[in-house]
C-alpha cells in the first residue's frame, strides 16, 4: 500500500525544493569565502612585505649595536641558531596562513560539488514522481534522468579530487602551525 499520487507529488516537490535551497546556501557561502580569501591574500602579501622589511631593519640595527661593543660574541653559534629558528618560524607562519586559504578553498569546492551532485540526483529521482506533463513515458523519463546522472557522476569525481586536496592541505595546515610554534619557542628560548 503506497501513498496517494498527490502525496507522492507533494513530498517529491518538497524534497527537490529542500535540495535546491541547500545548494543555494552552499553557493552563497562559496561566494562569501572567495571574497574573504581575496582580502586575506591581499593582507597576507602586505603583511609579508611589512614583516620582512621590519626584520631586515631590526637585524641591521642589532648588528650595528654589536659592532659598537668592540667585543666578540661569546655565543655566536647560539645566536645564529636562534635566528635560524625564528626564520623557520617566519616561513612556517606564512605557510600556515597560505595553506589555510587553500584548505578552505578545496573544502568549499568539495561541499559545492557534493551539494550540486545531490541536487541532480534528487531531481532525477523525484521530478518524474511529480506528474510533470512531458515526463509520461519511460523513454521521456530516461531522457530526463540520463544527463543529470552523468553530470552527477562528473561532480562526484570533482568532489573526490577536492577532498583529496582538502585532506593534504589540512595536514600541511596542522604541521605548519605546530612547527611555527615550536620554532618560535626554540628561537626565543
Amino acid at each position: 500500500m503506497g501513498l496517494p499520487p498527490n502525496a507522492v507529488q507533494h513530498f517529491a516537490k518538497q524534497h527537490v525544493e529542500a535540495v535546491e535551497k541547500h545548494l543555494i546556501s552552499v553557493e552563497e557561502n562559496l561566494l562569501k569565502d572567495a571574497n574573504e580569501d581575496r582580502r586575506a591574500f591581499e593582507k597576507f602579501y602586505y603583511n609579508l612585505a611589512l614583516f620582512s622589511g621590519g626584520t631586515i631593519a631590526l637585524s641591521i640595527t642589532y648588528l650595528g649595536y654589536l659592532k659598537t661593543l668592540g667585543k666578540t660574541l661569546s655565543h655566536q653559534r647560539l645566536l645564529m641558531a636562534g635566528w635560524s629558528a625564528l626564520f623557520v618560524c617566519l616561513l612556517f607562519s606564512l605557510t600556515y596562513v597560505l595553506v589555510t586559504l587553500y584548505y578552505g578553498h578545496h573544502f568549499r569546492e568539495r561541499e559545492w560539488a557534493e551539494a550540486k551532485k545531490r541536487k541532480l540526483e534528487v531531481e532525477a529521482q523525484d521530478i518524474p514522481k511529480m506528474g510533470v506533463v512531458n515526463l509520461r513515458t519511460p523513454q521521456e523519463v530516461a531522457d530526463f534522468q540520463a544527463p543529470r546522472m552523468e553530470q552527477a557522476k562528473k561532480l562526484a569525481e570533482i568532489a573526490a579530487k577536492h577532498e583529496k586536496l582538502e585532506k593534504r592541505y589540512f595536514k600541511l595546515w596542522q604541521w605548519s602551525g605546530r612547527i611555527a610554534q615550536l620554532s618560535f619557542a626554540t628561537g626565543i628560548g
Side-chain angles (χ1 to χ4, degrees):
M1 185 156 111
L3 294 172
N6 288 345
V8 171
Q9 290 174 357
H10 173 73
F11 289 126
K13 183 179 178 184
Q14 275 187 331
H15 197 204
V16 169
E17 288 172 351
V19 171
E20 181 71 27
K21 188 176 182 180
H22 176 68
L23 178 62
I24 289 170
S25 172
V26 168
E27 287 174 341
E28 287 172 354
N29 286 338
L30 185 65
L31 181 63
K32 183 179 119 192
D33 282 355
N35 288 332
E36 289 176 7
D37 288 350
R38 183 185 50 77
R39 279 188 235 107
F41 270 117
E42 289 172 0
K43 187 176 179 182
F44 169 75
Y45 286 109
Y46 173 74
N47 286 337
L48 178 62
L50 185 64
F51 194 63
S52 296
T55 303
I56 291 168
L58 184 61
S59 295
I60 290 170
T61 303
Y62 185 67
L63 288 175
Y65 170 74
L66 291 177
K67 207 171 197 178
T68 62
L69 291 177
K71 295 181 184 180
T72 60
L73 293 174
S74 57
H75 301 290
Q76 187 172 358
R77 289 184 187 212
L78 187 60
L79 179 63
M80 296 303 279
W83 281 352
S84 298
L86 288 173
F87 185 72
V88 168
C89 175
L90 167 72
L91 289 177
F92 279 95
S93 295
L94 296 174
T95 301
Y96 179 86
V97 172
L98 193 60
V99 168
T100 301
L101 295 172
Y102 285 122
Y103 166 75
H105 166 75
H106 290 292
F107 170 78
R108 287 290 178 204
E109 289 294 324
R110 178 190 54 81
E111 184 183 43
W112 172 83
E114 288 174 351
K116 183 76 173 177
K117 174 185 164 281
R118 179 76 178 127
K119 176 187 177 286
L120 291 169
E121 289 171 344
V122 166
E123 284 178 353
Q125 292 172 355
D126 289 346
I127 288 182
K129 297 176 190 174
M130 293 172 57
V132 177
V133 176
N134 62 343
L135 296 177
R136 299 276 185 212
T137 67
Q139 182 61 38
E140 290 173 337
V141 171
D143 289 343
F144 175 78
Q145 290 175 331
R148 283 167 176 72
M149 296 310 287
E150 182 64 31
Q151 185 66 26
K153 184 179 175 185
K154 290 178 185 176
L155 286 167
E157 293 170 3
I158 291 170
K161 178 188 87 165
H162 283 291
E163 183 176 20
K164 181 180 174 185
L165 291 170
E166 173 190 345
K167 287 178 182 179
R168 180 181 300 159
Y169 283 117
F170 183 72
K171 288 294 181 189
L172 281 171
W173 181 28
Q174 287 179 318
W175 280 103
S176 62
R178 290 173 184 160
I179 292 170
Q181 293 172 6
L182 182 64
S183 61
F184 180 75
T186 302
I188 295 297

